[in-house]
Amino acid sequence: MPPTAPRPGRAPGPKSGGLVTDGRLPSSYDFLRPAKLPREHLRTLNMVFETFAHRLAVLLTYNLRVVCRVTPFSVRHSSAEEHVAVLNEPIVIAPLTLEPLPGTALLELSRETAMVCVDHLLGGSGGLPQPERQLSEIETPLIRDLLTDILAELRDSFAVVEDIYPSFGALEYDPQLVQFGGGPADTMLVASFELTVGEVSSIVSLCLPLQGLLPALQRYHDQSAVSASERAARQAAHQLLSNRLQEVPIDLSVRFDAIRMQSTALLGLRPGDVVPLGHLVDRPLEITADGQVFGHAEATKRGSRLACHIVDIVQEENPA
């Protein structure tokens, strides 16, 4: 039998140990850290970060009284140890907790940018050069107040994916001193933004623990993957349930104020006795359902039947 000719369109390559090689050097791959995020998760994060960038630009422009621009720069992931190793310029780090997400997040900005913001907050021009030092006792509260406002914008930006409650602790200036909730090998999602304050540009980074963020992204994706027909069916079921609840019969009571009696007086009551009530004649009666007061009424009649005339409805106060 003659030897089989190679298939057209596919050049044979040298074999080594049962593997076909093309001359490229092998590269390491960490199976605990995927090469890239799923496409749908990356789209969701880009939407969140674009919203955050827009809200942050408006916030800084208002607080610093100078035109500020914030543009998403890149989204990547690396281990916490690798990320900290590349932070070589003077920097201000705010460690964050994003309840209920686990782990420690980081908000990083250059020390020069922090000084420019402080200069604007104090009425200065924010020009360069700025002092090359740590924030003073007067400057630190100004930056902390600004960061508090930034975290509020971060919470609103993430609301579509997860309700988070961010807070931060003591500011750090040395990346090696940052304490992570997991470990140095934990994967961090690093979102970088190009920040321009007036004429000064820099990079601001937001580092999020990826393992804590993935379940929230998956839940959001599962909810968004519901088809239009399923959403319509759920809406119809919700509407039907709401309509049926409107038809449920409820027992109402119109009552006077309660009084207290001794047990001997209660046991001694006989037909024809008069029990005085503490309810004033001109005071409305209470309308109750299941023991809850929801309105007041006055006694009246309708034809030959006893009735009550509604005078007010108790409005439930919204919890703060």
Side-chain angles (χ1 to χ4, degrees), residues 231-315:
R231 284 196 298 269
R234 292 181 181 181
Q235 182 64 28
H238 179 271
Q239 187 64 39
L240 180 60
L241 179 61
S242 299
N243 293 339
R244 294 292 294 174
L245 287 175
Q246 300 289 333
E247 301 172 1
V248 174
I250 299 176
D251 294 330
L252 296 182
S253 300
V254 181
R255 68 185 185 185
F256 295 95
D257 289 342
I259 62 171
R260 297 177 65 88
M261 296 181 63
Q262 294 181 352
S263 58
T264 55
L266 180 61
L267 295 174
L269 289 177
R270 296 293 182 267
D273 290 346
V274 176
V275 178
L277 301 178
H279 198 105
L280 300 178
V281 176
D282 57 349
R283 182 175 177 180
L285 309 178
E286 292 181 342
I287 307 175
T288 65
D290 194 24
Q292 300 296 321
V293 178
F294 71 89
H296 297 90
E298 295 177 345
T300 182
K301 66 177 183 177
R302 184 173 185 180
S304 60
R305 292 181 175 272
L306 185 64
C308 65
H309 176 252
I310 306 296
V311 294
D312 70 73
I313 298 297
V314 177
Q315 298 294 334

Coordinates of all heavy atoms in Angstrom, one line a residue, residues 231-315:
R231 N -40.3 36.8 30.8 CA -40.5 38.1 31.5 C -42.0 38.5 31.4 O -42.6 38.9 32.4 CB -39.6 39.2 30.9 CG -38.2 39.1 31.4 CD -37.5 40.4 31.1 NE -37.4 40.8 29.7 CZ -36.5 40.4 28.9 NH1 -35.5 39.7 29.3 NH2 -36.5 40.8 27.6
A232 N -42.6 38.3 30.3 CA -44.0 38.6 30.1 C -44.9 37.7 31.0 O -45.9 38.2 31.6 CB -44.5 38.5 28.7
A233 N -44.5 36.4 31.1 CA -45.3 35.5 31.9 C -45.1 35.8 33.4 O -46.1 35.8 34.1 CB -44.8 34.0 31.6
R234 N -43.9 36.2 33.8 CA -43.7 36.6 35.2 C -44.5 37.9 35.5 O -45.1 38.0 36.6 CB -42.2 36.8 35.5 CG -41.4 35.5 35.4 CD -39.9 35.8 35.7 NE -39.1 34.6 35.6 CZ -37.8 34.6 35.9 NH1 -37.2 35.7 36.2 NH2 -37.2 33.4 35.8
Q235 N -44.5 38.8 34.6 CA -45.3 40.0 34.8 C -46.8 39.8 34.9 O -47.4 40.4 35.7 CB -44.9 41.0 33.7 CG -45.6 42.4 33.8 CD -45.2 43.1 35.1 OE1 -44.1 43.0 35.5 NE2 -46.0 44.0 35.6
A236 N -47.2 38.9 34.0 CA -48.7 38.5 34.1 C -49.0 37.9 35.4 O -50.1 38.1 36.0 CB -49.0 37.7 32.9
A237 N -48.2 36.9 35.9 CA -48.4 36.3 37.1 C -48.4 37.3 38.3 O -49.2 37.2 39.2 CB -47.4 35.2 37.3
H238 N -47.4 38.2 38.2 CA -47.4 39.2 39.3 C -48.6 40.1 39.3 O -49.2 40.4 40.4 CB -46.1 40.1 39.1 CG -46.0 41.2 40.1 ND1 -46.5 42.4 39.9 CD2 -45.3 41.2 41.3 CE1 -46.2 43.2 41.0 NE2 -45.5 42.5 41.8
Q239 N -49.1 40.5 38.1 CA -50.3 41.3 38.0 C -51.5 40.5 38.5 O -52.4 41.1 39.2 CB -50.5 41.7 36.6 CG -51.6 42.7 36.4 CD -51.4 44.0 37.1 OE1 -50.2 44.5 37.2 NE2 -52.4 44.6 37.7
L240 N -51.6 39.2 38.1 CA -52.7 38.4 38.6 C -52.8 38.3 40.1 O -53.8 38.4 40.7 CB -52.7 37.0 37.9 CG -53.8 36.0 38.3 CD1 -55.2 36.6 37.9 CD2 -53.5 34.7 37.6
L241 N -51.6 38.0 40.7 CA -51.5 37.9 42.1 C -51.9 39.2 42.8 O -52.6 39.2 43.8 CB -50.1 37.5 42.5 CG -49.8 37.3 44.0 CD1 -50.7 36.2 44.6 CD2 -48.3 37.0 44.3
S242 N -51.4 40.3 42.3 CA -51.8 41.6 42.8 C -53.3 41.9 42.8 O -53.9 42.4 43.7 CB -51.0 42.7 42.1 OG -49.6 42.6 42.2
N243 N -53.9 41.5 41.6 CA -55.3 41.7 41.5 C -56.1 40.8 42.5 O -57.1 41.3 43.1 CB -55.8 41.4 40.1 CG -55.2 42.4 39.1 OD1 -54.8 43.5 39.5 ND2 -55.1 42.0 37.8
R244 N -55.7 39.6 42.7 CA -56.4 38.7 43.6 C -56.2 39.2 45.0 O -57.2 39.0 45.8 CB -55.8 37.3 43.5 CG -56.1 36.6 42.1 CD -57.6 36.3 42.0 NE -58.1 35.3 42.9 CZ -59.3 35.0 43.0 NH1 -60.3 35.6 42.3 NH2 -59.7 34.1 43.9
L245 N -55.1 39.7 45.4 CA -54.9 40.3 46.7 C -55.8 41.4 47.0 O -56.2 41.7 48.1 CB -53.4 40.7 46.9 CG -52.4 39.6 47.1 CD1 -51.0 40.2 47.2 CD2 -52.7 38.8 48.3
Q246 N -56.2 42.2 45.9 CA -57.1 43.3 46.1 C -58.5 42.8 46.5 O -59.4 43.5 47.0 CB -57.2 44.1 44.8 CG -55.9 44.7 44.4 CD -55.5 45.8 45.3 OE1 -56.3 46.5 45.9 NE2 -54.2 46.1 45.3
E247 N -58.8 41.5 46.2 CA -60.2 40.9 46.4 C -60.3 40.1 47.7 O -61.3 39.5 48.0 CB -60.6 40.1 45.2 CG -60.6 40.8 43.9 CD -60.8 39.9 42.7 OE1 -60.9 38.6 43.0 OE2 -60.8 40.3 41.6
V248 N -59.2 40.0 48.5 CA -59.2 39.3 49.7 C -60.1 40.0 50.8 O -59.8 41.2 51.1 CB -57.8 39.0 50.3 CG1 -57.8 38.3 51.6 CG2 -57.0 38.2 49.3
P249 N -61.1 39.3 51.4 CA -61.9 40.0 52.4 C -61.1 40.2 53.7 O -60.4 39.3 54.1 CB -63.1 39.0 52.6 CG -62.6 37.7 52.2 CD -61.6 38.0 51.1
I250 N -61.3 41.3 54.3 CA -60.6 41.7 55.5 C -61.6 42.2 56.6 O -62.5 43.0 56.2 CB -59.5 42.8 55.3 CG1 -58.5 42.3 54.3 CG2 -58.8 43.2 56.6 CD1 -57.5 43.3 53.9
D251 N -61.5 41.7 57.8 CA -62.3 42.1 58.9 C -61.9 43.5 59.4 O -60.7 43.7 59.8 CB -62.3 41.1 60.0 CG -63.0 39.8 59.6 OD1 -63.9 39.8 58.7 OD2 -62.6 38.7 60.1
L252 N -62.8 44.5 59.5 CA -62.5 45.8 60.0 C -63.3 46.0 61.3 O -64.4 45.4 61.5 CB -63.0 46.9 59.0 CG -62.3 46.9 57.6 CD1 -62.8 48.1 56.8 CD2 -60.7 47.1 57.8
S253 N -62.7 46.8 62.1 CA -63.3 47.2 63.4 C -63.3 48.7 63.6 O -62.3 49.3 63.2 CB -62.6 46.5 64.6 OG -62.7 45.1 64.5
V254 N -64.3 49.2 64.1 CA -64.4 50.7 64.5 C -64.6 50.7 66.0 O -65.6 50.2 66.5 CB -65.5 51.4 63.8 CG1 -65.5 52.9 64.2 CG2 -65.3 51.3 62.3
R255 N -63.6 51.2 66.8 CA -63.7 51.0 68.2 C -63.4 52.2 69.0 O -62.8 53.2 68.5 CB -62.6 49.9 68.6 CG -61.2 50.4 68.4 CD -60.2 49.3 68.7 NE -58.8 49.8 68.6 CZ -57.7 49.0 68.7 NH1 -57.9 47.7 68.9 NH2 -56.5 49.6 68.7
F256 N -63.9 52.2 70.2 CA -63.6 53.3 71.2 C -62.2 53.0 71.8 O -61.7 51.9 71.6 CB -64.6 53.4 72.2 CG -66.0 53.8 71.7 CD1 -67.0 52.9 71.4 CD2 -66.3 55.1 71.6 CE1 -68.2 53.2 71.0 CE2 -67.5 55.5 71.2 CZ -68.5 54.6 70.8
D257 N -61.7 53.9 72.5 CA -60.5 53.7 73.3 C -60.7 52.6 74.3 O -61.8 52.6 75.0 CB -59.9 55.0 74.0 CG -59.4 55.9 72.9 OD1 -59.1 55.5 71.8 OD2 -59.2 57.1 73.3
A258 N -59.8 51.7 74.6 CA -59.9 50.7 75.6 C -59.8 51.3 77.0 O -59.2 52.3 77.2 CB -58.8 49.6 75.4
I259 N -60.5 50.6 77.9 CA -60.4 51.0 79.3 C -59.9 49.9 80.2 O -59.9 48.7 79.7 CB -61.8 51.5 79.8 CG1 -62.8 50.3 79.8 CG2 -62.3 52.7 79.1 CD1 -64.1 50.6 80.5
R260 N -59.5 50.2 81.4 CA -59.0 49.1 82.3 C -60.0 49.0 83.5 O -60.5 50.0 84.0 CB -57.7 49.5 82.8 CG -56.6 49.5 81.7 CD -55.2 49.9 82.3 NE -54.7 49.0 83.3 CZ -54.0 47.9 83.0 NH1 -53.7 47.7 81.7 NH2 -53.6 47.1 83.9
M261 N -60.4 47.8 83.8 CA -61.3 47.5 84.9 C -60.7 46.4 85.8 O -59.9 45.6 85.4 CB -62.6 47.0 84.4 CG -63.4 48.0 83.6 SD -65.0 47.3 83.0 CE -65.8 47.0 84.6
Q262 N -61.0 46.5 87.1 CA -60.6 45.5 88.0 C -61.4 44.2 87.8 O -62.6 44.3 87.3 CB -60.7 45.9 89.5 CG -59.8 47.1 89.8 CD -59.9 47.5 91.3 OE1 -60.8 47.0 92.0 NE2 -59.1 48.4 91.7
S263 N -60.8 43.1 88.1 CA -61.5 41.8 87.8 C -62.8 41.7 88.6 O -63.8 41.2 88.2 CB -60.6 40.6 88.1 OG -60.1 40.7 89.5
T264 N -62.8 42.3 89.9 CA -64.0 42.2 90.7 C -65.2 43.0 90.0 O -66.3 42.6 90.0 CB -63.8 42.7 92.1 OG1 -63.2 44.0 92.0 CG2 -62.8 41.8 92.8
A265 N -64.8 44.2 89.5 CA -65.8 45.0 88.8 C -66.3 44.3 87.5 O -67.5 44.4 87.2 CB -65.3 46.4 88.5
L266 N -65.4 43.6 86.8 CA -65.8 43.0 85.6 C -66.8 41.8 85.9 O -67.8 41.6 85.2 CB -64.6 42.5 84.8 CG -64.8 41.7 83.5 CD1 -65.5 42.6 82.5 CD2 -63.5 41.2 83.0
L267 N -66.4 41.0 87.0 CA -67.3 39.9 87.3 C -68.6 40.3 87.9 O -69.6 39.5 87.9 CB -66.5 39.0 88.3 CG -65.3 38.3 87.7 CD1 -64.5 37.5 88.9 CD2 -65.6 37.3 86.6
G268 N -68.7 41.6 88.4 CA -69.9 42.0 89.0 C -70.9 42.7 88.1 O -71.9 43.2 88.5
L269 N -70.5 42.8 86.8 CA -71.4 43.4 85.8 C -72.7 42.7 85.7 O -72.8 41.4 85.6 CB -70.7 43.5 84.5 CG -69.6 44.5 84.3 CD1 -68.9 44.4 83.0 CD2 -70.0 45.9 84.6
R270 N -73.8 43.4 85.6 CA -75.2 42.9 85.4 C -75.9 43.6 84.3 O -75.6 44.8 84.0 CB -76.0 43.0 86.7 CG -75.4 42.2 87.9 CD -75.5 40.7 87.6 NE -75.0 39.9 88.8 CZ -73.7 39.5 88.9 NH1 -72.9 39.8 87.9 NH2 -73.3 38.8 89.9
P271 N -76.9 43.0 83.7 CA -77.7 43.7 82.7 C -78.3 45.0 83.3 O -78.8 45.1 84.4 CB -78.8 42.7 82.4 CG -78.3 41.4 82.7 CD -77.4 41.6 83.9
G272 N -78.1 46.1 82.5 CA -78.6 47.4 82.9 C -77.5 48.3 83.5 O -77.7 49.5 83.6
D273 N -76.3 47.7 83.8 CA -75.2 48.5 84.4 C -74.6 49.4 83.3 O -74.6 49.1 82.1 CB -74.1 47.6 84.9 CG -74.5 46.9 86.2 OD1 -75.5 47.3 86.8 OD2 -73.8 45.9 86.6
V274 N -74.1 50.5 83.6 CA -73.5 51.5 82.7 C -71.9 51.5 83.0 O -71.5 51.7 84.1 CB -74.0 52.9 82.9 CG1 -73.3 53.9 82.0 CG2 -75.5 52.9 82.5
V275 N -71.2 51.3 81.9 CA -69.7 51.3 82.0 C -69.2 52.6 81.4 O -69.4 52.8 80.2 CB -69.1 50.1 81.3 CG1 -67.6 50.1 81.4 CG2 -69.6 48.8 81.9
P276 N -68.6 53.5 82.1 CA -68.1 54.7 81.6 C -66.9 54.5 80.7 O -66.0 53.7 81.1 CB -67.8 55.6 82.8 CG -67.6 54.6 83.9 CD -68.4 53.4 83.6
L277 N -66.8 55.1 79.6 CA -65.6 55.0 78.7 C -64.8 56.3 78.8 O -65.3 57.4 79.1 CB -66.1 54.9 77.3 CG -67.0 53.6 77.0 CD1 -67.4 53.6 75.5 CD2 -66.3 52.3 77.3
G278 N -63.5 56.1 78.6 CA -62.6 57.3 78.6 C -62.5 58.0 77.3 O -61.7 58.9 77.2
H279 N -63.3 57.6 76.3 CA -63.3 58.2 75.0 C -64.1 59.5 75.0 O -65.2 59.5 75.3 CB -63.9 57.2 74.0 CG -63.5 57.5 72.6 ND1 -62.5 56.8 71.9 CD2 -63.9 58.5 71.7 CE1 -62.4 57.3 70.7 NE2 -63.3 58.3 70.5
L280 N -63.4 60.6 74.6 CA -64.1 61.9 74.5 C -65.2 61.9 73.4 O -65.0 61.2 72.4 CB -63.1 63.0 74.2 CG -62.0 63.2 75.3 CD1 -61.1 64.3 74.9 CD2 -62.6 63.5 76.7
V281 N -66.2 62.6 73.6 CA -67.3 62.6 72.7 C -66.9 63.1 71.3 O -67.3 62.6 70.2 CB -68.5 63.5 73.2 CG1 -69.6 63.6 72.2 CG2 -69.0 62.9 74.5
D282 N -66.0 64.2 71.2 CA -65.7 64.8 70.0 C -64.4 64.1 69.4 O -63.8 64.6 68.4 CB -65.4 66.3 70.2 CG -64.4 66.6 71.2 OD1 -64.0 65.6 71.9 OD2 -63.9 67.7 71.3
R283 N -64.0 63.0 70.0 CA -62.7 62.4 69.4 C -63.1 61.3 68.5 O -64.0 60.4 68.8 CB -61.9 61.8 70.6 CG -60.6 61.1 70.2 CD -59.8 60.7 71.3 NE -58.6 59.9 70.9 CZ -57.8 59.4 71.8 NH1 -58.0 59.6 73.1 NH2 -56.7 58.8 71.4
P284 N -62.5 61.2 67.3 CA -62.9 60.1 66.3 C -62.6 58.7 66.8 O -61.7 58.5 67.7 CB -62.0 60.5 65.1 CG -61.6 61.9 65.3 CD -61.5 62.1 66.7
L285 N -63.3 57.8 66.3 CA -63.1 56.4 66.6 C -61.9 55.8 65.7 O -61.6 56.3 64.7 CB -64.3 55.6 66.4 CG -65.6 56.1 67.0 CD1 -66.8 55.2 66.6 CD2 -65.5 56.2 68.5
E286 N -61.3 54.7 66.2 CA -60.2 54.1 65.5 C -60.7 53.0 64.6 O -61.5 52.2 64.9 CB -59.2 53.5 66.5 CG -58.4 54.6 67.3 CD -57.4 53.9 68.2 OE1 -57.6 52.7 68.5 OE2 -56.5 54.6 68.7
I287 N -60.2 53.0 63.3 CA -60.5 52.0 62.4 C -59.3 51.0 62.4 O -58.2 51.4 62.1 CB -60.8 52.5 60.9 CG1 -61.8 53.6 61.0 CG2 -61.1 51.4 60.0 CD1 -62.0 54.3 59.6
T288 N -59.5 49.8 62.7 CA -58.4 48.8 62.8 C -58.7 47.6 61.9 O -59.8 47.2 61.6 CB -58.3 48.3 64.2 OG1 -59.4 47.6 64.6 CG2 -58.1 49.5 65.2
A289 N -57.6 47.0 61.5 CA -57.6 45.7 60.8 C -56.5 44.9 61.3 O -55.3 45.3 61.3 CB -57.5 45.9 59.3
D290 N -56.8 43.7 61.8 CA -55.8 42.8 62.4 C -55.0 43.6 63.5 O -53.8 43.4 63.7 CB -54.8 42.3 61.4 CG -54.0 41.1 61.9 OD1 -54.4 40.5 62.8 OD2 -52.9 40.9 61.3
G291 N -55.7 44.4 64.3 CA -55.1 45.1 65.4 C -54.3 46.3 65.0 O -53.8 47.0 65.9
Q292 N -54.2 46.7 63.7 CA -53.4 47.8 63.3 C -54.4 49.0 62.9 O -55.3 48.8 62.2 CB -52.6 47.5 62.1 CG -51.6 46.3 62.3 CD -50.5 46.7 63.3 OE1 -50.0 47.9 63.3 NE2 -50.1 45.8 64.2
V293 N -54.1 50.1 63.5 CA -54.9 51.3 63.2 C -54.5 51.9 61.9 O -53.3 52.2 61.7 CB -54.8 52.4 64.4 CG1 -55.6 53.6 64.0 CG2 -55.2 51.8 65.7
F294 N -55.4 52.1 61.0 CA -55.0 52.7 59.7 C -55.9 53.9 59.3 O -55.8 54.5 58.3 CB -55.1 51.6 58.6 CG -56.5 51.2 58.2 CD1 -57.3 51.9 57.2 CD2 -57.1 50.1 58.8 CE1 -58.5 51.5 56.9 CE2 -58.4 49.7 58.5 CZ -59.1 50.4 57.5
G295 N -56.9 54.3 60.3 CA -57.7 55.4 60.0 C -58.6 55.8 61.2 O -58.6 55.1 62.2
H296 N -59.3 56.9 61.0 CA -60.2 57.3 62.1 C -61.5 57.7 61.4 O -61.6 58.1 60.3 CB -59.6 58.6 62.8 CG -58.3 58.2 63.6 ND1 -57.1 58.4 63.0 CD2 -58.1 57.8 64.8 CE1 -56.2 58.0 63.9 NE2 -56.8 57.7 65.0
A297 N -62.6 57.6 62.2 CA -63.9 57.8 61.7 C -64.8 58.3 62.8 O -64.5 58.2 64.0 CB -64.5 56.5 61.1
E298 N -66.0 58.9 62.4 CA -67.0 59.4 63.3 C -68.2 58.6 63.1 O -68.6 58.2 62.0 CB -67.3 60.9 63.0 CG -66.2 61.9 63.3 CD -66.5 63.3 62.9 OE1 -67.5 63.4 62.1 OE2 -65.8 64.2 63.3
A299 N -68.9 58.3 64.3 CA -70.2 57.5 64.2 C -71.3 58.3 63.5 O -71.4 59.5 63.8 CB -70.6 57.1 65.6
T300 N -72.0 57.6 62.6 CA -73.1 58.3 61.9 C -74.1 57.1 61.6 O -74.0 56.0 62.1 CB -72.6 59.0 60.7 OG1 -73.8 59.7 60.1 CG2 -72.0 58.1 59.7
K301 N -75.0 57.4 60.7 CA -75.9 56.4 60.2 C -76.2 56.6 58.7 O -76.1 57.7 58.2 CB -77.2 56.4 61.0 CG -78.0 57.6 60.8 CD -79.3 57.5 61.6 CE -80.2 58.7 61.4 NZ -81.6 58.5 62.1
R302 N -76.6 55.5 58.1 CA -76.9 55.5 56.7 C -78.3 54.8 56.5 O -78.3 53.6 56.6 CB -75.9 54.8 55.8 CG -76.1 54.9 54.3 CD -75.0 54.4 53.5 NE -75.2 54.6 52.1 CZ -74.3 54.2 51.2 NH1 -73.1 53.7 51.5 NH2 -74.6 54.4 49.9
G303 N -79.3 55.5 56.4 CA -80.7 55.0 56.4 C -81.0 54.5 57.8 O -80.9 55.3 58.8
S304 N -81.3 53.2 57.9 CA -81.6 52.7 59.2 C -80.4 51.9 59.8 O -80.6 51.3 60.9 CB -82.8 51.7 59.1 OG -82.5 50.6 58.2
R305 N -79.3 52.0 59.2 CA -78.1 51.2 59.6 C -77.1 52.2 60.3 O -76.9 53.3 59.9 CB -77.4 50.5 58.5 CG -78.3 49.4 57.9 CD -77.5 48.6 56.8 NE -78.3 47.5 56.4 CZ -78.2 46.3 56.9 NH1 -77.3 46.1 57.9 NH2 -78.9 45.3 56.4
L306 N -76.4 51.7 61.3 CA -75.3 52.4 61.9 C -74.1 52.4 60.9 O -73.8 51.4 60.3 CB -74.9 51.8 63.2 CG -73.8 52.5 64.1 CD1 -74.3 53.8 64.5 CD2 -73.4 51.6 65.3
A307 N -73.4 53.5 60.8 CA -72.3 53.6 59.9 C -71.2 54.5 60.5 O -71.3 55.0 61.6 CB -72.8 54.2 58.6
C308 N -70.1 54.6 59.8 CA -69.0 55.5 60.2 C -68.6 56.4 59.1 O -68.6 55.9 57.9 CB -67.9 54.7 60.8 SG -67.0 53.7 59.6
H309 N -68.2 57.6 59.4 CA -67.7 58.6 58.4 C -66.2 58.7 58.5 O -65.7 59.1 59.6 CB -68.4 59.9 58.6 CG -68.0 61.0 57.7 ND1 -67.2 62.0 58.1 CD2 -68.2 61.2 56.3 CE1 -66.9 62.8 57.1 NE2 -67.5 62.3 56.0
I310 N -65.5 58.4 57.5 CA -64.0 58.4 57.5 C -63.6 59.9 57.6 O -64.0 60.7 56.8 CB -63.4 57.7 56.2 CG1 -64.0 56.3 56.1 CG2 -61.9 57.7 56.3 CD1 -63.6 55.4 57.2
V311 N -62.7 60.1 58.5 CA -62.2 61.5 58.7 C -60.7 61.6 58.3 O -60.2 62.7 57.9 CB -62.4 62.0 60.1 CG1 -63.9 62.2 60.4 CG2 -61.7 61.1 61.1
D312 N -59.9 60.5 58.4 CA -58.5 60.6 58.0 C -58.0 59.2 57.9 O -58.6 58.2 58.5 CB -57.7 61.4 58.9 CG -57.4 60.7 60.3 OD1 -56.7 59.8 60.3 OD2 -58.0 61.2 61.3
I313 N -56.9 59.0 57.1 CA -56.2 57.7 56.9 C -54.8 57.9 57.4 O -54.1 58.9 57.1 CB -56.2 57.3 55.5 CG1 -57.7 57.1 55.0 CG2 -55.4 56.0 55.3 CD1 -58.4 56.0 55.7
V314 N -54.4 57.0 58.2 CA -53.0 57.0 58.8 C -52.0 56.6 57.7 O -52.1 55.5 57.1 CB -52.8 56.1 60.0 CG1 -51.4 56.1 60.5 CG2 -53.8 56.5 61.1
Q315 N -51.1 57.5 57.3 CA -50.1 57.2 56.3 C -48.9 56.5 57.0 O -48.4 57.0 58.0 CB -49.6 58.5 55.6 CG -50.7 59.2 54.9 CD -51.3 58.4 53.7 OE1 -50.6 57.6 53.1 NE2 -52.5 58.6 53.3

